[in-house]
Amino acid sequence: MIPRIYIPGDSGALALGAEKVAKAIEKELADRGIEAKIVRNGSRGAYFLEPMVEVATENGRVAYGPVKPSDVKSLFDSGFLTGGHHKRWLGAPDKIPFLARQTRLTFARCGVINPLSLDHYKAHGGLKGLQNAVAMAPADIVKQVTESGLRGRGGAGFPTGIKWKTVLDTIADKKYIVCNADEGDSATFADRMIMEGDPFVLIEGMAIAGVATGATKGFVYIRSEYPHAVAMMQKAVEAARKVGLLGLNVLGSPHAFDMEIRVGAGAYVCGEETSLLNSLEGKRGVVRAKPPLPAIQGLFGKPTVINNVISLASVPVIMDKGAAFYKDFGMGRSRGTIPIQIAGNVRYGGLFEAAFGMTLGEIVDDIGGGTATGRPVKAVQVGGPLGAYFPRSLFDTPFDYEAFAAKDGLIGHAGITVFDDTADMLKQARFAMEFCAIESCGKCTPCRIGSTRGVETIDKIARGSEPEKQIELVTDLCNTMKFGSLCALGGFTPYPVMSAINHFREDFKPAPVAEAAE
Ligand SMILES: Cc1cc2nc3c(=O)[nH]c(=O)nc-3n(C[C@H](O)[C@H](O)[C@H](O)COP(=O)(O)O)c2cc1C
Ligand code: SF4
């Protein structure tokens, strides 16, 4: 048997040196005259172990990591092609605690298969969902997705099946499926990981959405900062067309569905669905007023399903294993699994897919292992730049849409950024206002003007100029932004600002300037 070596081509792993490791392994194989097959897989998401190299042995896969090019010679000397021991030896990848503790439904194949091999994809359960879907009536597919309890993973948590039903029920000569892969939130990389590690699952999910709603064309809008994901998706779409997974007769059925990859315009607000649609139409990424909903008048004025990558990539497993199977995971109205992305100042950063319901404390302390600096955790921002900062006293909050909302927070796209006790929460509150000012599309006043006034007012607090009065002013401003903004950019900026003020008040009591200057 020719040895098979898996080296991630995922951009996170590449950033950590995977390409150099691949070159060193190729060279070592050539120098030693060993014939082996190198597979460039995606990442399994344990980034603290990347570049993680795996070899297929008679007893299953054995992982090594994090591998440096300087480790390669000694790896060969230790017999790593047959799973030999070495200081980088990790054993069976699915037994590594960070991976073993996960429930991988959406990410089941990510980091395991060759991302561009449809044979690998099928051998690991791929296409079963679409095969089932093409044999069903569209309304039954929509019903199954609705009953699974799947809610949008892009941020708002809107029930996916209900959105699909609106598009199905709207009569039009053309309908679209748009996949939102703009992934602009801080600490998020789930969309990128799946597009680079298992692109066919997204294509399958989009094809199911097309069959379910009568849409015949799909677009994936990928942020420009993701060139590897763009390239991978383009290759995967071409491969899918070749085998009839996309085209006039999806998997030999009477349903037509094809798709295109588009590169984003490079603004955070282009991730907002209506702004994204404008950008996709070649216009400036400005938010559209709703109604009309995109499901009724979306891309080019036609009924459009717009869903996040993870929402769509979670559909194949629902159509394969059933609504009840998926719904069985989770808590309350948050059903299924969620890929939590743990980042910032954290020891074990990476993607952790789990059923809803773990507490924030379990995720940060237990799974994430606390801070990378070893200092105490001060705050955790959940849900990207518009998410609230949670102090340790809220670590018992379960990962659930409603539980987070009840504590004035949000789950968003499930990215969490960990901060240690050196973080200055006044600076973080200022950053939130500044971010909003820079990224505002400018359409409405509370966001466009309010964010700039917010920066100025927080600067006054920093200077110690009547801080209590300024805090009152910021609170008032936040209320105006929260209730008066057209979209969640202006509407949610108050979450990081007010959570910083409410939970970390001590950081908002600087000494007056005159005193500080002494
Ligand atoms: C400022 C802003 C940025 C957003 N960025 C993204 C994004 O990058 N990706 C995403 O899926 N949703 C993003 N959203 C949410 C989308 O507007 C929309 O809710 C989502 O694409 C719907 O898909 P889902 O129902 O599958 O979550 C953003 C929203 C706002 C207000
Ligand atoms: S809240 Fe901000 S980003 Fe959203 S529409 Fe208003 S100005 Fe544009």
Side-chain angles (χ1 to χ4, degrees):
M1 190 179 87
I2 298 175
R4 194 179 277 258
I5 309 169
Y6 294 84
I7 311 169
D10 168 276
S11 43
L14 292 178
L16 291 161
E19 199 55 40
K20 286 193 182 126
V21 171
K23 291 270 177 314
I25 290 177
E26 275 169 23
K27 182 172 181 309
E28 205 57 32
L29 287 167
D31 288 353
R32 295 183 188 229
I34 302 171
E35 200 190 337
K37 182 165 173 45
I38 293 179
V39 178
R40 301 307 296 266
N41 55 335
S43 171
R44 293 193 192 240
Y47 281 107
F48 56 99
L49 296 175
E50 291 288 5
M52 189 168 97
V53 176
E54 296 175 30
V55 287
T57 74
E58 282 175 0
N59 301 319
R61 292 218 199 155
V62 176
Y64 297 83
V67 176
K68 297 196 185 86
S70 56
D71 294 322
V72 169
K73 260 191 202 331
S74 61
L75 274 168
F76 275 83
D77 290 342
S78 312
F80 100 117
L81 290 181
T82 49
H85 275 267
H86 183 275
K87 63 180 177 187
R88 306 282 180 214
W89 186 90
L90 299 165
D94 44 13
K95 299 249 162 45
I96 296 168
F98 186 87
L99 297 170
R101 296 179 66 181
Q102 302 193 31
T103 304
R104 289 226 161 174
L105 303 186
T106 308
F107 282 77
R109 284 171 295 261
C110 195
V112 177
I113 62 165
N114 175 347
L116 288 174
S117 164
L118 265 164
D119 289 338
H120 274 198
Y121 184 65
K122 282 193 263 183
H124 287 81
L127 289 191
K128 285 189 188 156
L130 181 58
Q131 269 153 3
N132 290 341
V134 292
M136 289 164 71
D140 291 337
I141 306 173
V142 171
K143 191 162 170 263
Q144 189 158 325
V145 172
T146 308
E147 284 175 357
S148 74
L150 178 67
R151 290 166 72 178
R153 303 291 190 240
F158 188 81
T160 306
I162 293 181
K163 196 182 275 188
W164 288 20
K165 188 171 182 336
T166 309
V167 176
L168 170 66
D169 291 345
T170 307
I171 294 163
D173 57 346
K174 186 96 188 155
K175 298 181 187 178
Y176 295 103
I177 307 297
V178 172
C179 171
N180 189 341
D182 203 45
E183 198 163 53
D185 282 0
S186 39
T188 61
F189 43 87
D191 298 351
R192 179 191 60 68
M193 250 183 76
I194 208 124
M195 289 188 288
E196 292 180 3
D198 192 12
F200 292 122
V201 79
L202 176 57
I203 295 173
E204 185 180 351
M206 287 182 71
I208 294 171
V211 172
T213 57
T216 49
K217 184 78 193 257
F219 292 92
V220 187
Y221 185 93
I222 308 178
R223 64 181 291 134
S224 58
E225 294 87 341
Y226 283 176
H228 291 91
V230 170
M232 188 62 88
M233 285 304 302
Q234 262 156 354
K235 284 185 196 152
V237 165
E238 277 161 32
R241 267 193 209 120
K242 273 195 192 133
V243 298
L245 160 52
L246 293 173
L248 285 177
N249 302 96
V250 171
L251 294 186
S253 75
H255 300 282
F257 188 76
D258 204 349
M259 55 192 274
E260 276 179 43
I261 307 304
R262 291 290 173 88
V263 179
Y268 180 72
V269 78
C270 282
E272 192 282 332
E273 57 187 13
T274 60
S275 178
L276 187 154
L277 293 176
N278 273 337
S279 175
L280 208 48
E281 289 178 7
K283 300 173 186 151
R284 212 180 115 204
V286 177
V287 173
R288 296 178 186 172
K290 287 189 269 193
L293 290 172
I296 292 171
Q297 258 179 274
L299 188 64
F300 303 116
K302 302 292 178 189
T304 303
V305 165
I306 173 155
N307 271 137
N308 171 254
V309 173
I310 303 302
S311 317
L312 290 160
S314 298
V315 167
V317 71
I318 293 168
M319 294 311 298
D320 173 17
K321 303 215 163 129
F325 167 84
Y326 192 78
K327 200 177 179 175
D328 206 28
F329 298 92
M331 68 173 280
R333 288 179 48 225
S334 306
R335 309 311 314 176
T337 58
I338 175 102
I340 301 163
Q341 299 130 85
I342 311 171
N345 183 351
V346 72
R347 197 159 166 212
Y348 304 126
L351 181 133
F352 194 91
E353 182 176 352
F356 283 96
M358 287 178 80
T359 66
L360 185 57
E362 278 174 273
I363 297 162
V364 174
D365 294 331
D366 198 9
I367 308 296
T371 63
T373 50
R375 301 183 67 93
V377 174
K378 176 168 180 175
V380 179
Q381 188 178 29
V382 184
L386 311 177
Y389 288 99
F390 274 28
R392 194 163 264 289
S393 58
L394 292 180
F395 272 20
D396 58 351
T397 311
F399 222 74
D400 160 82
Y401 292 107
E402 280 65 42
F404 263 71
K407 304 268 172 74
D408 286 329
L410 52 126
I411 282 183
H413 189 45
I416 71 174
T417 312
V418 180
F419 293 81
D420 75 11
D421 61 348
T422 61
D424 178 341
M425 301 313 289
L426 182 142
K427 283 193 180 147
Q428 293 306 123
R430 184 191 192 279
F431 171 72
M433 282 293 191
E434 190 190 24
F435 178 81
C436 182
I438 292 169
E439 298 295 337
S440 170
C441 85
K443 182 142 177 165
C444 64
T445 323
C447 168
R448 187 182 70 244
I449 308 288
S451 51
T452 299
R453 294 290 93 87
V455 172
E456 292 165 0
T457 316
I458 295 172
D459 279 345
K460 282 188 191 160
I461 304 174
R463 289 200 299 271
S465 152
E466 300 180 285
E468 287 308 317
K469 195 174 145 201
Q470 308 305 338
I471 287 173
E472 243 178 73
L473 211 59
V474 173
T475 308
D476 190 37
L477 181 62
C478 279
N479 277 331
T480 307
M481 289 174 73
K482 190 170 174 182
F483 299 107
S485 295
L486 187 60
C487 87
L489 179 45
F492 283 23
T493 294
Y495 282 87
V497 175
M498 289 314 298
S499 59
I501 292 176
N502 292 334
H503 300 307
F504 305 95
R505 195 60 169 242
E506 64 283 2
D507 288 3
F508 291 78
K509 290 177 180 159
V513 173
E515 250 174 68
E518 281 174 9

